[in-house]
């Protein structure tokens, strides 16, 4: 049990009704999880408002209510604390409750549109190979050294973040690598965390369903770097036009990486094959198992972080050469009939173009490239025609299908995609609503040596339709279908 007054450090309090010298058992922002002597933080969400559940929380045993506006009636024996922003309050309450675990570990945040999962996951892999105990907070999974836990968000809520960081401390982890989403920054989930460093990957068209404009999306990312301290490092992609903007107001040590321009860490692609990349990094050659120029950027950022965190350059290069690709990121299989199937998480225009361009760079042009792609429902609608245009123009055949339609009509999503296809590419496109049937059609159309790209879902093992998640694994399905066609 902790005392309320001890976890209020740095919480911006506007008014208090009741005593702060009270024992509390836990913190919750979900009224369904309230237990006796809990603190309930009333969060205003997009779908519901926690202030509507204050009475329910008290009935379940909440001893303390943190809110942005006091209810009309204040229950006797319950402490009410008014704050300006309950999201920010939750961040500091959570950090204080778990005794500020981020200050006891070298926490590195990775933000940007594309590459976050790959960089964070491969940094975890690299530091594990170097012999350290390491934590990972990613879209794919949460790792507390060797123990794996399911991830539900790119950047978890403040309570979850501090809980797992505390678990990492107890497990003896020295480092943690974390994906930092624009949603997570905007909703103050990372507000109370102490970062040893931050990485900016790139910025392109995404999340404009949440952020009103691209400028707002960019500026939210920038606030992550603005908040870094002078003892931290800020590593940015010098080839991205927004890379310099991220460093404008940061107090952290400024570091750049690039393939095309002068930077602290530079790389050159010497060879690009389906089996890997030969890179020249700061005058040293290294062969890596990952593919494509986008992965050259990712690996360069990883190298920069490793060196800044104290790993010798030669050792960092050796470890880079051992890294394996991340689940759902340019994962590929080759069937007995020599059909190559690639599964990738590319769900933004820029990511899709990067993957297709990578395939273009390594193919012989004697084979056809068939792309299966969809767009998620309840998300940024403006990118749908753009992604369809990219798929149609950079593929020999493009099949539009359902992704995670969520609460939207999947046929309507596909129709919005079709509007982006240029007239000269119409004959190259098909629209097949059922995703499995779309993948099957791609397999049936493919000849020996052809390439099939299945984009959009990557590591996900489900398809979300009208609030229900059905089992669906792109890699598993295409593997089984190609095996059936071989018989």
């Amino acid at each position: 049990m902790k005392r309320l007054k001890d976890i209020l450090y740095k919480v911006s309090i506007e008014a208090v009704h009741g005593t702060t010298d009270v024992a509390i058992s836990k913190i919750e922002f979900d009224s369904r999880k309230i237990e006796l002597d809990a603190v309930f933080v009333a969060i205003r969400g997009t779908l519901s408002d926690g202030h509507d559940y204050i009475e329910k929380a008290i009935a379940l045993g909440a001893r303390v209510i943190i809110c942005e506006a006091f209810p009309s009636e204040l229950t006797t024996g319950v402490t009410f604390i008014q704050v300006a922003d309950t999201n920010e309050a939750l961040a500091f309450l959570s950090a204080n409750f778990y005794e500020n675990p981020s200050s006891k570990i070298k926490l590195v945040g990775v933000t940007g549109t594309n590459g976050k999962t790959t960089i964070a996951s491969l940094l975890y892999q690299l530091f594990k190979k170097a012999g350290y105990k390491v934590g990972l907070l990613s879209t794919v999974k949460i790792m507390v050294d060797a123990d794996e836990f399911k991830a539900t968000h790119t950047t978890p809520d403040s309570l979850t973040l501090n809980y797992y960081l505390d678990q990492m401390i107890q497990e003896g982890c020295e480092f943690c690598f974390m994906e930092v989403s624009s949603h997570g920054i905007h909703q103050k989930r990372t507000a109370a965390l102490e970062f040893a460093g931050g990485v900016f990957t790139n910025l392109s068209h995404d999340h404009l369903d949440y952020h009103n404009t691209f400028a707002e999306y960019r500026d939210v990312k920038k606030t992550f770097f603005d908040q870094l301290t002078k003892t931290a490092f800020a590593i940015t992609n010098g080839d991205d036009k927004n890379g310099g903007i991220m460093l404008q107001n940061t107090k952290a040590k400024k570091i750049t990486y690039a393939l095309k321009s002068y930077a602290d860490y530079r790389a050159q692609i010497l060879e690009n094959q389906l089996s890997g990349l030969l890179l020249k990094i700061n005058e040293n050659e290294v062969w890596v198992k990952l593919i494509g120029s986008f992965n050259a950027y990712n690996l360069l950022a990883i190298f920069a972080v490793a060196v800044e965190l104290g790993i010798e350059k030669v050792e960092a290069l050796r470890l880079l050469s051992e890294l394996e690709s991340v689940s759902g990121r340019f994962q590929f299989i080759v069937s007995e009939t020599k059909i190559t199937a690639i599964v990738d998480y590319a769900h933004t225009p820029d990511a899709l173009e990067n993957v297709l361009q990578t395939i273009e760079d390594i193919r012989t042009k004697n084979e056809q490239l068939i792309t299966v792609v969809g767009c998620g429902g309840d998300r940024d609608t403006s990118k749908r025609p753009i992604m369809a245009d990219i798929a149609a123009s950079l593929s020999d055949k493009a099949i539009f299908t359902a992704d995670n339609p969520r609460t939207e009509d999947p046929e309507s999503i596909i129709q919005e995609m079709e509007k982006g296809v240029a007239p000269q590419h119409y004959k190259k496109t098909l629209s097949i609503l059922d995703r499995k049937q779309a993948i099957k059609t791609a397999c049936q159309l493919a000849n020996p040596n052809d390439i099939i790209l299945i984009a959009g879902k990557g590591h996900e093992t489900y398809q979300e339709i009208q609030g229900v998640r059905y089992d669906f694994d792109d890699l598993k399905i295409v593997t089984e279908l190609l095996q059936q066609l071989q018989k």
Side-chain angles (χ1 to χ4, degrees):
M1 297 283 279
K2 296 187 181 290
R3 303 203 76 76
L4 176 60
K5 62 182 181 181
D6 296 328
I7 67 165
L8 291 173
Y9 178 61
K10 289 190 176 179
V11 175
S12 182
I13 298 172
E14 295 189 341
V16 177
H17 179 85
T19 178
T20 60
D21 188 16
V22 57
I24 52 108
S25 59
K26 62 185 300 195
I27 302 168
E28 283 295 349
F29 60 91
D30 184 340
S31 61
R32 295 167 297 184
K33 298 179 181 178
I34 291 295
E35 296 175 3
L36 187 64
D37 295 332
V39 175
F40 176 62
V41 184
I43 302 289
R44 297 189 195 278
T46 52
L47 298 177
S48 63
D49 185 348
H51 291 76
D52 297 334
Y53 298 92
I54 289 174
E55 283 188 27
K56 178 184 175 182
I58 293 171
L60 289 171
R63 189 80 180 274
V64 179
I65 303 296
I66 310 289
C67 52
E68 293 176 7
F70 283 161
S72 55
E73 292 185 18
L74 301 179
T75 306
T76 304
V78 175
T79 299
F80 292 84
I81 297 178
Q82 184 180 348
V83 298
D85 185 339
T86 48
N87 279 299
E88 184 177 72
L90 178 64
F92 285 104
L93 289 166
S94 303
N96 294 334
F97 187 84
Y98 288 105
E99 298 180 358
N100 201 17
S102 64
S103 67
K104 304 168 188 175
I105 194 170
K106 289 182 179 176
L107 176 64
V108 176
V110 184
T111 195
T113 304
N114 302 311
K116 297 188 296 295
T117 301
T118 296
I119 291 174
S121 299
L122 292 184
L123 277 166
Y124 167 84
Q125 197 182 123
L126 186 148
F127 276 77
K128 283 289 290 177
K129 287 178 180 293
Y132 293 100
K133 287 197 167 190
V134 194
L136 171 68
L137 294 159
S138 81
T139 302
V140 179
K141 59 189 174 183
I142 294 169
M143 298 296 297
V144 178
D145 197 36
D147 296 329
E148 182 176 331
F149 303 90
K150 187 176 180 181
T152 55
H153 294 80
T154 300
T155 304
D157 63 78
S158 305
L159 266 177
T160 303
L161 281 173
N162 283 280
Y163 169 78
Y164 280 113
L165 285 168
D166 183 54
Q167 293 295 303
M168 291 172 199
I169 301 303
Q170 292 183 38
E171 192 60 33
C173 294
E174 295 181 56
F175 303 92
C176 176
F177 302 104
M178 171 183 171
E179 289 186 56
V180 180
S181 68
S182 59
H183 291 69
I185 299 167
H186 187 254
Q187 294 171 11
K188 310 288 179 68
R189 298 178 208 164
T190 58
L193 300 182
E194 295 182 25
F195 286 91
V199 179
F200 170 73
T201 62
N202 49 65
L203 209 63
S204 64
H205 199 109
D206 200 18
H207 298 309
L208 299 190
D209 56 313
Y210 181 85
H211 304 286
N212 295 320
T213 64
F214 184 85
E216 182 184 315
Y217 175 48
R218 177 199 64 209
D219 292 345
V220 167
K221 295 280 190 189
K222 182 180 176 296
T223 60
F224 171 70
F225 294 92
D226 293 347
Q227 292 164 3
L228 293 176
T229 66
K230 62 182 180 180
T231 60
F233 58 77
I235 299 176
T236 193
N237 181 350
D239 287 341
D240 188 284
K241 63 183 179 182
N242 294 289
I245 294 173
M246 297 298 143
L247 302 184
Q248 284 177 352
N249 302 109
T250 189
K251 302 181 190 73
K253 178 184 177 183
K254 299 176 181 180
I255 301 159
T256 55
Y257 67 96
L259 267 66
K260 300 174 183 176
S261 54
Y262 177 79
D264 300 302
Y265 293 90
R266 291 196 66 199
Q268 180 183 356
I269 299 174
L270 302 180
E271 291 183 34
N272 185 11
Q273 304 172 14
L274 197 57
S275 54
L277 287 168
L278 180 61
L279 298 176
K280 188 176 183 180
I281 298 179
N282 288 8
E283 305 307 317
N284 294 289
E285 291 187 12
V286 59
W287 178 264
V288 295
K289 300 173 186 176
L290 279 73
I291 305 159
S293 60
F294 63 97
N295 270 324
Y297 280 104
N298 293 337
L299 289 161
L300 191 53
I302 290 162
F303 177 74
V305 172
V307 172
E308 294 299 325
L309 288 176
I311 293 181
E312 292 291 329
K313 291 181 180 179
V314 174
E315 176 66 0
L317 288 170
R318 184 188 70 79
L319 293 167
L320 274 188
S321 71
E322 296 180 2
L323 298 179
E324 303 283 349
S325 62
V326 178
S327 174
R329 270 64 179 178
F330 214 94
Q331 271 189 295
F332 68 92
I333 60 162
V334 181
S335 73
E336 288 182 15
T337 54
K338 304 301 180 186
I339 296 170
T340 299
I342 300 166
V343 171
D344 195 272
Y345 189 52
H347 62 287
T348 66
D350 190 53
L352 182 62
E353 187 171 4
N354 283 339
V355 172
L356 286 167
Q357 191 58 58
T358 293
I359 295 170
E360 180 67 19
D361 292 342
I362 60 179
R363 64 187 287 206
T364 66
K365 313 298 187 291
N366 294 319
E367 70 288 283
Q368 64 172 342
L369 168 59
I370 305 168
T371 298
V372 180
V373 64
C375 291
D378 302 334
R379 297 293 185 270
D380 183 2
T381 59
S382 61
K383 68 183 180 184
R384 293 171 183 173
I386 301 170
M387 288 184 67
D389 180 51
I390 291 167
S393 60
L394 297 180
S395 310
D396 296 298
K397 288 186 175 70
I399 302 174
F400 304 142
T401 189
D403 187 283
N404 289 319
R406 300 184 177 89
T407 64
E408 280 194 71
D409 174 15
E411 285 193 39
S412 298
I413 296 173
I414 292 172
Q415 286 167 6
E416 288 183 31
M417 293 178 69
E418 291 170 339
K419 292 175 184 176
V421 180
Q424 66 268 32
H425 298 311
Y426 284 158
K427 290 183 179 179
K428 296 198 294 181
T429 67
L430 289 171
S431 293
I432 301 173
L433 190 61
D434 182 272
R435 190 175 181 88
K436 185 172 182 178
Q437 186 60 46
I439 296 170
K440 185 176 181 179
T441 301
C443 293
Q444 290 170 333
L445 290 171
N447 298 312
N449 300 314
D450 285 350
I451 300 169
I452 300 169
L453 170 65
I454 306 168
K457 288 174 57 57
H459 65 281
E460 294 176 350
T461 56
Y462 63 85
Q463 189 173 29
E464 187 175 335
I465 303 169
Q466 294 299 327
V468 180
R469 289 190 172 187
Y470 300 92
D471 290 344
F472 201 101
D473 185 327
D474 282 350
L475 188 64
K476 183 180 177 183
I477 286 169
V478 73
T479 302
E480 290 173 353
L481 288 169
L482 286 174
Q483 287 172 347
Q484 288 170 16
L485 290 173
Q486 288 162 193
K487 294 175 182 178

